[in-house]
Amino acid sequence: MTEHFDVLILGAGPAGLAAAETLAHAGRTVGLVDEQTDPGGQIGRRAIRQRPGRAFRKTLTRLRANDRITYFPSQRVVDCDPHPALVTESDLGYTRLTGASLILAPGARELVLPFPGWTLPGVLGAGGLQALTKSGWPVRGRNVVFAGSGPLLIASAHTLKKEGARIRVIVEQTARREIARFVAKLPAWPSKAIQTLTFTLGLAGIPYYTDAWVTEALGEERLEAVRIVQRGRSSVVSCDFLGTSLGLIPNVEVALRLGCALSHDPHPTVRVDSLQATSQPGIYAAGEITGIGGAELARLEGTIAGHAVAGELSKARALAPRHAHWARFGAEVARHFALRDPLRELAGSQTILCRCEDVTLGEIDAVADTGSIKLLTRLGMGPCQGRICRAALAELRPGYGTVTPSEISRPPLFPARLDTLADQALKEPSS
Amino acid sequence: MSHDLIVIGGGIVGAAIASTASEAGLRTTLIESALPATGATGSGMGHLVILDDALLALSVRSLELWRTLPDRPGTEYRNTGTIWIAETEDDLPGLEEQSLHLATHQVASHLLDHRDLHALEPDLAGDLPGGLLVPGDATVYAPKAVAHLLGRARRAGAHLLLGQKVVALTGGGVRLADGEKLTGVVVVATGPSGSELLPELPVMPRKGHLVVTERAPSTITHQLVEAGYLHGVRETRHATVAMNVQPRPGGQLLVGSSRESGIQDRAVSVSVVSRMLMRVFRFLPALRERKAIRIWTGFRPATPDGLPFIGQVPGRTDVWAAFGHEGLGITTALGTAELLVDLLLNRPVRLDPKPFNPARAIEA
């Protein structure tokens, strides 16, 4: 099946939805492709047992009512070309979508840094644990520790507490005075201040350690406890789950394959101009993919990209001051919750770095020529296609060049059925 | 600085020569412009296979050397065997002939009828009439095999120069990109780029595609190749595809194969992959549902007559060639190294070097 739209949008999170509505309003047809079953992105996930919130219902109704927007949920992009076109796969088969323009808003994933015991069942990303809980995974009465850095820890703990989990402790690596400095700046963004207050009140009574981190996950078959170090003092807290949050990494795979210019710091982001245009003609990018900045910034960038694609340049430019305002918020979060070096030094030589191929940090360090790491250890050659271990290695061993861009810009962008790969060629324009 | 032997190229052939030569007592330096095993060697399947062709004797000797290689586990050597699969009854006489021919070289093989074939490999399509099992064939993980051979070379005193490009043969040595000169007998083992230094020896890159799947339970235990593969090998004009599937430890499958001449572009061609997979589904229909995690391309070093150049290059001072093995570089690397070092040291040779003599390209 091939379908054509004025504009293709990848991602139905805050940026993609904002872009879709802006374009539909301007009279353009939109194909909106998303990996999730529901619109809203990671941040818009609703709890399955919860009645859909008003905002969510409004979004869904608007999407369904808008006959200019065709929504393709549960789709993974397995290939793309700069025509532009996206080849997507779902349980039902594959689809080839084409558009005159393409807006990339695929969001971000969690950064995972290995530490002793991190591969034990029960250790998850905080966002992943939050998402599982919202999709109906039972956590009532279970003991949970959250550890890492930044506001996502609090948001995730809030979700799990509402679902009946026992939050033993939140372990924040940032020092208290640094958090105080951040909070003091919040009045510049009133909506965030209220959000923080709501979450914090909801978490009353939960120990909140600052200047602390989990050094080890303990357990035989699965997680039983974590070792926490706070300013040199070590303690052990028993728990069933550990949710870690150390930051987000933009999902740049599609942009990379399309040849869009990237920046590295150390994780790649897509370079855009003030109208969200990438280096490739007709291809725009919005939201976390251009740099981690949060939902408000993503929504603004989606709107700007929508206006830009629709040719409404003055409307797009009018949003520049608000964009700058929210970009500053993202920069403040990044600055005050920046990862501290001890978190990069927790993994030992026996710690597994690549869990797809069971490669330890020691095996990687033993490779004399760092350029040969991938070939000799098979790091990143498993089904996650290096999404987890490559980012971790960039943090743990910044000097190691493990993968060249050409190596990771090949199809399939996500594991795809051989069937799809064999069939999609029939849909390719003859060239 | 003076050396007995300068090997150019850190692929499987260069690594094998460096290892064999340094163990024979030659002061050896290996120069690799990038990193070991990043060319044709690292792109291939690592199938150690005896083909019924002009390389048969070299392949048979090489397989003996692989089997007796010390510390072999470091290469991930696995004795999987190969099954050549007939698509129709018409392929069966060819397999019988192949079996007889292998027997004249003391290579064991067993003809399989429909029932034997499906007992050994139940995932094969039900209508396939039979096959030929060559139990001595094997697989290695080529990047680790190269690391293993380079480790042996180093322990025997060889030097490795990585990230250094040879820009010229100087007659009695080489000049590097940074201007440094090394003197000694030179072996060019740079696979598809052999002609850059030796334009009189033509070698053409022949592109191939490979797909690797996710780990999943699989009943496939042998390397499975369609009988028509040999015809595909000899086809030189346009892209040919043939089913060639290798089980990896842990349940991944390497899925090939394709051959295309006259293409320099490294990009994955969706249409070639598609044709290749359709061919694979003909033999292994269940693979339609398998998930691919990566696709990549590589270039085999092909010569006009399909035979590698192994030997001294006429008209040059102390320059030897060891490239152009097309798809059999991994299989024949150890035999190539043995033959080349025996020739270099004027020792008795185990097999006839004439078919591989580089002089044939210059006289022609």
Side-chain angles (χ1 to χ4, degrees):
Chain A
M1 180 176 70
T2 302
E3 291 196 44
H4 184 82
F5 300 91
D6 292 336
V7 187
L8 280 182
I9 299 176
L10 174 60
L17 286 173
E21 294 191 353
T22 305
L23 281 158
H25 189 71
R28 304 297 194 280
T29 61
V30 173
L32 178 62
V33 179
D34 194 56
E35 202 181 318
Q36 305 297 326
T37 50
D38 288 328
Q42 297 298 345
I43 194 148
R45 269 178 198 274
R46 68 190 170 91
I48 202 159
R49 58 164 198 85
Q50 213 183 337
R51 281 191 34 229
R54 216 178 53 193
F56 177 81
R57 267 179 318 185
K58 255 170 68 185
T59 307
L60 203 60
T61 314
R62 279 211 306 269
L63 265 188
R64 288 198 180 129
N66 201 323
D67 54 12
R68 294 204 184 93
I69 302 177
T70 311
Y71 171 49
F72 298 90
S74 308
Q75 301 285 334
R76 289 203 141 178
V77 176
V78 298
D79 200 7
C80 54
D81 59 62
H83 286 317
L86 298 174
V87 178
T88 69
E89 188 179 276
S90 72
D91 292 346
L92 303 173
Y94 68 91
T95 311
R96 186 180 168 87
L97 302 170
T98 58
S101 310
L102 169 63
I103 299 175
L104 300 173
R109 58 177 176 268
E110 296 188 277
L111 170 66
V112 176
L113 289 191
F115 59 93
W118 75 284
T119 53
L120 281 175
V123 181
L124 291 101
L129 184 53
Q130 185 186 25
L132 274 173
T133 304
K134 284 184 173 178
S135 65
W137 207 50
V139 293
R140 182 162 299 279
R142 309 306 291 274
N143 291 308
V144 184
V145 171
F146 282 95
S149 187
L152 185 66
L153 281 181
I154 294 176
S156 310
H158 186 70
T159 301
L160 266 85
K161 184 164 185 250
K162 274 202 307 195
E163 299 292 325
R166 225 181 121 215
I167 313 295
R168 296 292 315 267
V169 53
I170 298 173
V171 186
E172 166 65 58
Q173 56 122 40
T174 307
R176 192 167 289 273
R177 61 174 186 285
E178 199 62 39
I179 298 171
R181 282 188 198 128
F182 173 70
V183 172
K185 288 174 183 163
L186 276 179
W189 299 277
S191 58
K192 282 287 166 191
I194 290 164
Q195 213 178 62
T196 309
L197 195 66
T198 320
F199 283 151
T200 315
L201 285 179
L203 294 170
I206 295 171
Y208 186 72
Y209 293 0
T210 55
D211 214 354
W213 41 85
V214 166
T215 58
E216 199 178 348
L218 306 164
E220 288 295 319
E221 297 288 304
R222 54 162 295 123
L223 180 69
E224 290 163 17
V226 293
R227 187 184 305 283
I228 298 167
V229 168
Q230 188 182 33
R231 289 186 289 274
R233 275 205 317 274
S234 159
S235 57
V236 172
V237 174
S238 65
C239 57
D240 304 306
F241 297 109
L242 168 66
T244 67
S245 173
L246 298 163
L248 298 172
I249 318 163
N251 292 323
V252 298
E253 287 73 17
V254 174
L256 185 59
R257 172 120 176 97
L258 292 170
C260 301
L262 305 179
S263 302
H264 295 264
D265 64 339
H267 307 293
T269 57
V270 177
R271 276 194 234 162
V272 288
D273 64 13
S274 60
L275 293 173
Q276 304 300 131
T278 70
S279 64
Q280 288 288 57
I283 300 176
Y284 293 72
E288 306 290 42
I289 185 178
T290 69
I292 304 304
E296 288 80 4
L297 186 63
R299 223 167 272 133
L300 275 168
E301 292 191 350
T303 309
I304 294 171
H307 285 312
V309 170
E312 303 167 337
L313 299 191
S314 56
K315 284 186 183 172
R317 293 205 174 100
L319 291 170
R322 283 182 64 201
H323 182 273
H325 176 69
W326 281 105
R328 239 179 23 248
F329 177 75
E332 293 292 354
V333 175
R335 190 154 72 94
H336 291 290
F337 291 96
L339 281 193
R340 297 165 67 182
D341 280 339
L343 276 90
R344 298 186 179 88
E345 289 153 12
L346 298 172
S349 62
Q350 296 302 307
T351 308
I352 285 186
L353 183 70
C354 168
R355 60 200 302 184
C356 300
E357 292 288 333
D358 293 336
V359 185
T360 64
L361 190 59
E363 287 172 72
I364 289 159
D365 285 333
V367 176
D369 313 299
T370 57
S372 298
I373 288 171
K374 183 182 170 193
L375 264 181
L376 290 180
T377 66
R378 288 198 239 264
L379 177 89
M381 290 204 188
C384 93
Q385 299 173 310
R387 280 176 172 79
I388 294 165
C389 56
R390 200 159 45 231
L393 196 65
E395 292 279 349
L396 264 45
R397 299 286 186 269
Y400 290 11
T402 51
V403 186
T404 62
S406 72
E407 275 184 274
I408 49 172
S409 66
R410 293 178 300 212
L413 295 168
F414 267 103
R417 283 194 302 271
L418 293 180
D419 212 12
T420 300
L421 295 173
D423 269 16
Q424 61 148 303
L426 311 174
K427 308 290 173 192
E428 201 179 43
S430 49
S431 51
Chain B
M1 196 177 155
S2 127
H3 310 260
D4 291 337
L5 191 65
I6 299 166
V7 181
I8 311 173
I12 190 85
V13 173
I17 292 169
S19 158
T20 307
S22 50
E23 282 170 3
L26 296 174
R27 284 187 307 145
T28 305
T29 288
L30 181 140
I31 307 172
E32 160 60 44
S33 64
L35 288 164
T38 46
T41 297
S43 322
M45 278 186 152
H47 183 200
L48 306 181
V49 55
I50 294 187
L51 290 181
D52 172 25
D53 68 0
L55 285 181
L56 210 163
L58 184 63
S59 302
V60 170
R61 175 59 189 153
S62 295
L63 262 286
E64 275 173 32
L65 291 168
W66 277 111
R67 276 182 212 119
T68 53
L69 186 72
D71 305 321
R72 209 178 50 188
T75 67
E76 294 188 14
Y77 176 97
R78 294 190 315 140
N79 181 206
T80 50
T82 303
I83 302 180
W84 298 90
I85 296 159
E87 183 181 8
T88 64
E89 303 279 340
D90 296 346
D91 290 327
L92 293 174
L95 291 179
E96 280 164 35
E97 244 174 73
Q98 189 176 342
S99 179
L100 290 172
H101 194 197
L102 292 178
T104 63
H105 285 77
Q106 281 76 50
V107 176
S109 66
H110 312 291
L111 285 164
L112 308 173
D113 63 16
H114 175 271
R115 218 177 43 199
D116 302 333
L117 182 68
H118 290 87
L120 283 176
E121 293 291 348
D123 275 358
L124 286 169
D127 66 324
L128 298 169
L132 177 69
L133 169 66
V134 184
D137 285 359
T139 60
V140 291
Y141 183 54
K144 284 205 172 169
V146 168
H148 177 81
L149 291 167
L150 291 178
R152 293 175 60 91
R154 256 198 211 108
R155 284 192 294 280
H159 292 278
L160 259 57
L161 285 180
L162 299 180
Q164 303 258 29
K165 193 166 170 64
V166 171
V167 290
L169 303 177
T170 54
V174 300
R175 193 172 68 242
L176 303 179
D178 63 7
E180 195 191 338
K181 285 182 182 170
L182 283 72
T183 58
V185 174
V186 176
V187 180
V188 179
T190 50
S193 34
S195 306
E196 282 176 21
L197 289 169
L198 295 172
E200 65 269 43
L201 302 184
V203 61
M204 291 84 65
R206 187 161 291 168
K207 185 174 176 179
H209 284 79
L210 280 179
V211 178
V212 65
T213 71
E214 281 188 341
R215 292 183 187 186
S218 165
T219 60
I220 300 175
T221 54
H222 301 82
Q223 177 116 12
L224 302 178
V225 191
E226 67 167 288
Y229 180 83
L230 285 171
H231 312 303
V233 169
R234 288 181 186 127
E235 176 64 65
T236 55
R237 274 191 315 250
H238 32 250
T240 56
V241 294
M243 189 276 293
N244 188 343
V245 171
Q246 179 183 112
R248 298 283 317 151
Q252 289 186 312
L253 298 173
L254 272 179
V255 180
S257 60
S258 75
R259 272 165 208 270
E260 278 171 283
S261 294
I263 291 189
Q264 312 283 321
D265 184 6
R266 298 200 75 87
V268 167
S269 157
V270 180
S271 60
V272 173
V273 170
S274 173
R275 286 177 50 209
M276 182 174 108
L277 291 175
M278 290 303 193
R279 198 64 201 151
V280 171
F281 299 156
R282 162 70 188 92
F283 293 86
L284 292 161
L287 289 199
R288 279 184 179 276
E289 297 302 317
R290 269 287 190 127
K291 283 201 163 184
I293 57 178
R294 269 178 304 124
I295 307 176
W296 68 93
T297 62
F299 294 94
R300 308 172 181 91
T303 61
D305 60 5
L307 296 174
F309 299 119
I310 307 170
Q312 190 160 16
V313 183
R316 297 201 180 242
T317 314
D318 288 340
V319 177
W320 295 63
F323 60 86
H325 297 71
E326 197 165 348
L328 289 174
I330 315 283
T331 299
T332 61
L334 299 183
T336 297
E338 180 185 69
L339 180 61
L340 188 110
V341 172
D342 284 345
L343 289 168
L344 254 173
L345 297 177
N346 241 331
R347 299 196 293 208
V349 290
R350 285 173 169 271
L351 29 102
D352 180 13
K354 259 196 252 77
F356 314 124
N357 190 341
R360 72 188 192 277
I362 294 158
E363 285 151 11

